[in-house]
Amino acid sequence: MTLSDIINVIRSVTELGLISSLTVLALYLSYSMLNVCDLSTDGCFTLGAAVGAVVALSGHPYLSIIAAMAAGVASGFVTAFLQTRMGINSLLAGIIVNTGLYSVNIAVMGGASLLNMNKTVTVFTKVKALFDHTFLDGWHKVAVALIAVAAVIVFLSVFLKTRLGLAIRATGDNSDMVRYSSINPVFTTTVGLCVANAFTALSGCLLAQYQKLSDINMGQGMVTVALASLLIGGTLFRRCSVKVRAIGAVIGAIIFRAVYALALNLQMPAYMLKLVSAGIVAAAISAPYLRKHIPQTMKKYFPGKENGDVRA
Amino acid sequence: MLELRKVNKTFNPGTVNEKKALTDIDLSVADGDFITIIGSNGAGKSTLFNATSGAFLPDSGRIYLDGRDITYEPDYKRAKYIGRLFQDPKTGTAPSMTVEENLTLAAGGGRWLSLPRRAEREALRERVASLGLGLEDRMNTPVGLLSGGQRQAVTLLMATINPPKVLLLDEHTAALDPSAAEKILEVTEKTVREQGLTCLMITHNMRSALSVGSRTVMMRDGSIIFDAQGAGRDGLTVDDLLRRFREASGETLDNDRMLLS
Ligand SMILES: Nc1ncnc2c1ncn2[C@@H]1O[C@H](COP(=O)(O)OP(=O)(O)OP(=O)(O)O)[C@@H](O)[C@H]1O
Ligand SMILES: [Mg+2]
């Protein structure tokens, strides 16, 4: 590999890591803060891609971002409504919305399961035009992703300190306490899911414009990939402030992409991505449980050690 | 003034587990009353509080606060003027959030998207300092890292930071070690006195049932069997209480957490 090859790999890892980190930040809000595992993430990611693509194809690259995020808000609202007002278990609510979104997404793309944006003006091509023939030539994709991620992190670190943000955090921590503070947890859950899904949709929208293609299966497994990234970031920044942990989520996403790129380089087939992320998520979530239970199991089979008898 | 009129509650009606937890409860609590409530396990003391705070709807009967019918008002709305503390110090606080963040939420006020201002934060700190537990230096500690007693003190402050019309204390010192329990009870009495709160306190401690507050209510099997205040309460001893319970119910008062001295 030449130096420019290495730079290219690093650049694409950063680009993809940053774009997918927006979904990780969405889960940071819904999973880490609200304590809801939002399984509509996959569908919402594709929804963002589809809506963004359609609007961009109609000639409105900037509007496409806003439209995708608005679609995400709507999707989050439906998930929240099902789980807070209709008594549907939160996992099931996510699965239901996810299933419904499959049809919605194809409908949005006008019945097609693919939309090509090869010649479309997108936020990426807009910025590319600005960067061409400057020293930043070629870094426009990183720039767009970086701006989006920075905006979301700044938003989150302020938002989570406001009264509403505190209430959202408390909802996941102890929803009874929220009620005792005369705040309706239905409201905080709804706002939290709407905001989180706006980020997920933004993530999907940017990925579609990045790869110049919106595909009905783009979002598949996204929730697991993003959870894996979130948990990687979480282990690095365990006892930190809300803002630092948000940055940790982004770093987690980039690390995940880097490990994946490395594995591809070592001849791992691309289709293994999802199995690897499934493994990471399973390992990371089960770790605290295993840490507690393995010593007990050990004691059961090696009772001698309990008495400090290490010779046995 | 809090009034309960013929409040009834049956759990699991029509099943083998049917349990009549409240039977025709009539209770008038005057402003400034500090009532201690005692009774055996399962007497319906906590259920009485749950009905009052809106954790569930009574099967029949009405609840009025300052003359307004609040029977069907959801719990989170009632929380504005009914404060609550439980036996488990974990109940009332968000463990991974700091003392200051918990108090900010409880204090409410301000718009949804407002950030707590410096003056507000100072005021919270002063309130914490007034507890006299040194917690003002731990405003940025997650509540989950505090001891049970400290955590209960924070919860008490959260429940009273905007003086509620009624404060419900459900054995809020029972899970604490004796010295912490004493300290919390002391802080409770001080807060109630200073803010002139109306307060109902379930206790398992027979001595505090008589020494604390201005009125003592005894419950058994979903009913109020004894209610003493003023001259009728002065001079009562723990033995008198136990005798009254026996006379009214034909059995001895039996509570697994009961402290007689
Ligand atoms: N949510 C519920 N579902 C079913 N039964 C309940 C429920 N809550 C309370 N009960 C029953 O109602 C009765 C009264 O319970 P309650 O908790 O009010 O008693 P208590 O006086 O607070 O007793 P303790 O001193 O043990 O706290 C008990 O028999 C209890 O088993
Ligand atoms: Mg009880």
Side-chain angles (χ1 to χ4, degrees), chain A residues 24-37:
Chain A
V24 183
L25 287 167
L27 292 194
Y28 175 62
L29 187 59
S30 60
Y31 184 78
S32 306
M33 298 286 155
L34 266 185
N35 202 13
V36 170
C37 187

Side-chain angles (χ1 to χ4, degrees), chain A residues 163-164 173-174 179 182 184, chain B residues 75-76 91 93 96 101 109 112:
Chain A
R163 197 161 101 79
L164 180 55
D173 217 13
N174 179 357
R179 240 179 247 116
S182 36
N184 189 355
Chain B
D75 57 351
Y76 70 90
T91 319
T93 43
S96 68
E101 288 168 340
W112 279 116

Side-chain angles (χ1 to χ4, degrees), chain B residues 39-41 45 171 203-204 253-259:
Chain B
S40 9
N41 291 121
K45 307 180 293 296
E171 303 197 49
T203 179
H204 55 287
L253 179 57
D254 179 24
N255 187 311
D256 57 7
R257 293 185 291 278
M258 189 158 72
L259 292 176

Side-chain angles (χ1 to χ4, degrees), chain B residues 42 44-47 87 170-171 202 257:
Chain B
K45 307 180 293 296
S46 301
T47 307
Q87 185 180 340
D170 191 344
E171 303 197 49
I202 299 174
R257 293 185 291 278

Side-chain angles (χ1 to χ4, degrees), chain A residues 92-105:
Chain A
L92 194 54
I95 293 174
I96 291 173
V97 170
N98 194 49
T99 307
L101 280 175
Y102 187 85
S103 309
V104 171
N105 292 340

